[in-house]
Amino acid sequence: MSALRSRMAGLLLAAAGAGMMVYGILRGEAAVVFAKAVRICLECIGVG
């Protein structure tokens, strides 16, 4: 029974994580994160 409980907990956490990712994408957070990543990369190579 412990293996089943552990598997269900893992699936529940994975579903919660996927739900939070979808919520963030729908709010437009992906664009914000991408813009910050571009700025950091440009600073690292010395362009920005």
Side-chain angles (χ1 to χ4, degrees), residues 2-46:
S2 178
L4 177 62
R5 181 176 284 183
S6 176
R7 182 174 174 88
M8 290 303 290
L11 289 174
L12 180 65
L13 288 173
M20 287 185 227
M21 286 176 56
V22 169
Y23 179 66
I25 290 169
L26 292 175
R27 288 190 58 207
E29 298 293 330
V32 173
V33 171
F34 182 72
K36 288 180 182 181
V38 167
R39 267 187 258 129
I40 288 172
C41 285
L42 290 176
E43 288 176 6
C44 285
I45 61 173

